[in-house]
Amino acid sequence: MTATQLDALRKSSTRQWKEGSIHGVLMTSALLSILTTVGVVAVLAAESSTFFREVSPVEFLTGTKWTPLFDPPSHGVLPLLCGTGLIAVGSGILALPIGLAIAVYLSEMANRRRRRIVKPMLEVLAGIPTVVYGYFALTFVTPCLRWLIPSTEVFNAAAGAIVVAIMILPMVASLCDDSLQAVPASLRQAAYSLGATPREVSVGIVVPGALSGILASFVLALSRAIGETMAVTLAAGATPRLTLNPLESIQTMTAFMAQVSSGDAPSGTSQYNSIFAVGFLLFAITLFMNWLAQRVLHRFREAYE
Amino acid sequence: MTDAAPGPTQPTEGRAGPDVQVEAAFTCRGLTLGYGDHVVVRDLDLEFPEKRITAIIGPSGCGKSTLVRTLNRMNDFIPSFTKAGTCLYRGVELYDPSLDPVLLRRQVGMVFQKPNPFPKTILQNVTWGPMINGYTGDLRELAVESLQKAALWGEVAARLDQPALSLSGGQQQRLCIARTLAMQPDVILMDEPCSSLDPVSTSRIEELMDSLRERYTIVIVTHNMQQAARISDLTAFLEGGDLVEFGDTDQIFTRPLYKRTEDYVTGRFG
Ligand SMILES: Nc1ncnc2c1ncn2[C@@H]1O[C@H](COP(=O)(O)OP(=O)(O)O)[C@@H](O)[C@H]1O
Ligand SMILES: [Mg+2]
């Protein structure tokens, strides 16, 4: 190779520097998010281990009374778990079918114009701050419930579940819509060419074809419901109670953490440490659910390849 | 090219229209099709005779798909689709407002260019259509029969409960044909059913079509001249928005009336 040829092909140091710096910036951002996660897990683990030196994990996981502020305190997390479960199940019962129905409507039945109207409306719903939902529950949903069923308590799980359902509805609808849209148009055509009606095409072909994506969006929405804090703190109250009655006041795991961290527990006490134990459990639950959603989605991808 | 006059079935020399003794499944008169302002085919006059294989040939973009999708109203799903003139199915105007396209499609089935089996089992693929349409007989028996007619039974008999997507492309296309046959249709529309298949699968589909001859009215779009010549009874040649020539396949390929047809079927075009 002659010198001129090599000159034409020589590596440019400016370009290398530019590429390198971009690479560095991007990698730093990625590292930052990994480090944050690692940090959160480390703090949670460290602080909960202090807690578990005082309270046995068995007592924590199986105890039926949560009274960390009493003397002597009782640290059974089941009432909080139950409260969280009530909110998650209640909001799921409402939001999942309605969200799926909206998605089927948007994806399969609505014309382009209606789609253009409904989609942004859902997005607005998703953009409302959660504290607004909390006050909406207190000042509107609960009065309605009390008018219907007078025995309803002022703070109650049902109102919390209803507003959380409204909060997760856009997410369910939008994720389900995405997975319905991912079903190839050729399958719809095949179904129509067999003399199917739009309803039969949606129910018999498109929804089953998108099932994994739909299930994954359900799991993600539920994990969002489990993590929701502000609205349930305001609406459902602060009474850790092992109950399945949605009209009673309860306390969720998140609401407890918000309550304690917003003031009265001095750092280092077992009350203070208990929020980390609860947080750790909450983290484990949502992590598990996200993992589940990933698993389900993975099966979905395989389906069309 | 003017009206295709009914006449004897045997090819007759020097006639523009096919000689058709049998009834017409579809009769198009002055049929103009398009999308929005864009006219795709204009003023078509042709008849698709019953229990015959009619091939539609022509360069890509000349409106072959548009025409076959009109015959089972699949164009209904394209909002900009426009149609003028008449197209009768057994004497009934296809676009009569009181005609239910859902019921029409049960009689006029369709096989698409790319195999599109449902992400269900092989058996469910065949039984789904009859099931939603309230078939009262034994669905499994019907499925077996349809798979046999589609020359697929031997290959899938032992794996009916496996996903249809685990089949090869050629097998998937025969499954799609079986699925259409299970509806017990009168007409089967095929839009380039072999264009995504290898030669071996293609010849299997051609054998299959040959076995369906005389029992079904088949309209097949193909860009493969040899295929049209091998399997069809009649051939319609579309080009530039016109039906250039329509006649017995034999005549179209050996004694075309028009230079345009001759150029196209002998490969001297473009
Ligand atoms: N959905 C559609 N919307 C608008 N134009 C279309 C649509 N489908 C096809 N066309 C146009 O109609 C013409 C004929 O298309 P098509 O019937 O698919 O031709 P062929 O099947 O002969 O290749 C082409 O010019 C194509 O661009
Ligand atoms: Mg085409």
Side-chain angles (χ1 to χ4, degrees):
Chain A
M1 183 179 278
T2 66
T4 32
Q5 269 177 323
L6 182 59
D7 273 345
L9 300 174
R10 196 183 298 282
K11 285 178 178 168
S12 137
S13 60
T14 2
R15 193 176 72 213
Q16 274 192 322
W17 185 84
K18 273 188 196 158
E19 294 295 324
S21 57
I22 293 283
H23 186 228
V25 167
L26 296 180
M27 188 145 100
T28 315
S29 329
L31 271 180
L32 217 61
S33 74
I34 294 172
L35 283 178
T36 316
T37 313
V38 171
V40 168
V41 175
V43 169
L44 277 179
E47 300 278 354
S48 355
S49 76
T50 339
F51 174 79
F52 285 124
R53 245 176 264 138
E54 286 172 40
V55 182
S56 84
V58 176
E59 187 197 329
F60 176 70
L61 288 172
T62 60
T64 56
K65 262 175 111 165
W66 183 261
T67 50
L69 306 177
F70 287 11
D71 197 22
S74 171
H75 292 102
V77 81
L78 285 182
L80 294 183
L81 212 53
C82 174
T84 294
L86 264 184
I87 298 289
V89 170
S91 60
I93 287 174
L94 293 171
L96 303 186
I98 299 176
L100 177 59
I102 293 175
V104 170
Y105 171 75
L106 279 179
S107 163
E108 306 301 310
M109 322 260 170
N111 56 29
R112 229 175 270 160
R113 203 170 55 89
R114 297 219 179 123
R115 223 181 133 79
R116 267 210 304 270
I117 298 171
V118 178
K119 268 231 147 179
M121 270 164 60
L122 281 173
E123 275 148 26
V124 166
L125 219 53
I128 296 175
T130 63
V131 62
V132 175
Y133 279 108
Y135 280 101
F136 175 69
L138 275 183
T139 58
F140 180 75
V141 179
T142 298
C144 288
L145 286 172
R146 281 163 74 91
W147 178 75
L148 280 171
I149 311 164
S151 66
T152 309
E153 295 179 13
V154 175
F155 296 103
N156 62 84
I162 289 170
V163 290
V164 171
I166 301 172
M167 285 169 54
I168 62 175
L169 192 64
M171 179 177 170
V172 178
S174 153
L175 289 178
C176 285
D177 180 50
D178 291 345
S179 28
L180 294 174
Q181 294 273 304
V183 173
S186 64
L187 293 185
R188 292 182 183 83
Q189 290 188 358
Y192 279 117
S193 78
L194 293 170
T197 62
R199 179 181 57 82
E200 287 160 346
V201 174
S202 309
V203 176
I205 300 298
V206 183
V207 169
L211 196 61
S212 312
I214 290 170
L215 291 180
S217 75
F218 283 3
V219 178
L220 286 178
L222 283 182
S223 94
R224 164 98 204 271
I226 288 170
E228 168 46 35
T229 309
M230 205 55 188
V232 293
T233 308
L234 287 169
T239 325
R241 203 184 265 168
L242 200 57
T243 176
L244 291 178
N245 181 356
L247 302 178
E248 287 180 28
S249 168
I250 50 117
Q251 187 169 41
T252 64
M253 297 161 80
T254 50
F256 167 75
M257 291 163 71
Q259 180 198 14
V260 173
S261 42
S262 63
D264 34 12
S267 140
T269 60
S270 73
Q271 296 149 25
Y272 177 80
N273 288 335
S274 70
I275 67 174
F276 289 96
V278 173
F280 198 68
L281 182 61
L282 192 64
F283 177 75
I285 293 173
T286 44
L287 194 69
F288 169 75
M289 296 193 74
N290 288 0
W291 171 82
L292 196 68
Q294 286 297 323
R295 281 288 310 254
V296 177
L297 261 180
H298 184 69
R299 281 198 45 203
F300 177 67
R301 278 192 213 103
E302 287 168 350
Y304 294 114
E305 273 158 24
Chain B
M1 169 70 210
T2 52
D3 280 2
T9 8
Q10 296 316 305
T12 312
E13 203 127 354
R15 291 202 49 158
D19 296 306
V20 185
Q21 198 168 42
V22 282
E23 300 265 308
F26 296 99
T27 310
C28 305
R29 290 280 171 260
L31 187 65
T32 296
L33 307 171
Y35 302 96
D37 297 332
H38 171 51
V39 173
V40 174
V41 288
R42 82 186 79 75
D43 211 14
L44 290 190
D45 284 314
L46 82 166
E47 266 155 22
F48 297 92
E50 270 196 43
K51 313 290 182 225
R52 292 288 182 277
I53 301 180
T54 305
I56 303 176
I57 59 171
S60 82
C62 70
K64 307 181 294 293
S65 299
T66 304
L67 175 59
V68 287
R69 281 201 308 259
T70 305
L71 303 180
N72 67 344
R73 299 263 312 249
M74 285 300 280
N75 280 330
D76 288 15
F77 302 106
I78 304 171
S80 63
F81 174 70
T82 60
K83 170 238 168 217
T86 59
C87 187
L88 307 178
Y89 168 60
R90 298 168 175 278
V92 178
E93 169 56 46
L94 272 177
Y95 282 79
D96 188 298
S98 64
L99 180 143
D100 184 353
V102 168
L103 299 178
L104 171 75
R105 292 183 201 118
R106 294 177 190 178
Q107 297 180 24
V108 184
M110 188 165 213
V111 175
F112 298 82
Q113 188 163 352
K114 249 186 84 198
N116 52 359
F118 300 127
K120 297 179 183 288
T121 68
I122 293 170
L123 183 66
Q124 285 168 339
N125 259 277
V126 186
T127 56
W128 191 77
M131 187 192 74
I132 59 159
N133 288 302
Y135 182 73
T136 47
D138 184 339
L139 278 172
R140 198 184 167 92
E141 219 167 80
L142 176 69
V144 172
E145 213 173 276
S146 310
L147 287 165
Q148 280 167 344
K149 279 192 210 156
L152 187 61
W153 175 245
E155 289 151 73
V156 300
R159 48 191 291 205
L160 287 179
D161 293 320
Q162 283 181 22
L165 292 160
S166 68
L167 296 171
S168 75
Q171 289 173 326
Q172 287 187 11
Q173 193 63 308
R174 274 178 285 147
L175 180 65
C176 292
I177 295 174
R179 176 173 76 181
T180 306
L181 293 176
M183 293 295 296
Q184 303 173 306
D186 293 323
V187 182
I188 303 173
L189 308 173
M190 298 182 164
D191 192 352
E192 303 193 22
C194 302
S195 65
S196 66
L197 304 182
D198 60 273
V200 176
S201 304
T202 299
S203 74
R204 298 219 53 174
I205 303 250
E206 286 179 16
E207 282 164 26
L208 160 61
M209 290 181 65
D210 197 45
S211 75
L212 302 176
R213 191 192 296 274
E214 317 273 313
R215 279 188 285 168
Y216 300 90
T217 304
I218 297 178
V219 177
I220 178 176
V221 172
T222 176
H223 56 206
N224 179 334
M225 291 309 117
Q226 288 83 19
Q227 183 170 65
R230 275 193 301 265
I231 59 172
S232 68
D233 302 305
L234 300 125
T235 298
F237 170 50
L238 291 179
E239 192 187 51
D242 302 312
L243 177 65
V244 178
E245 190 162 354
F246 181 37
D248 289 301
T249 298
D250 234 22
Q251 175 252 314
I252 295 278
F253 282 92
T254 55
R255 285 159 277 122
L257 287 181
Y258 297 95
K259 181 85 171 48
R260 278 165 85 184
T261 315
E262 188 184 339
D263 287 350
Y264 186 75
V265 299
T266 55
R268 283 192 302 263
F269 54 89

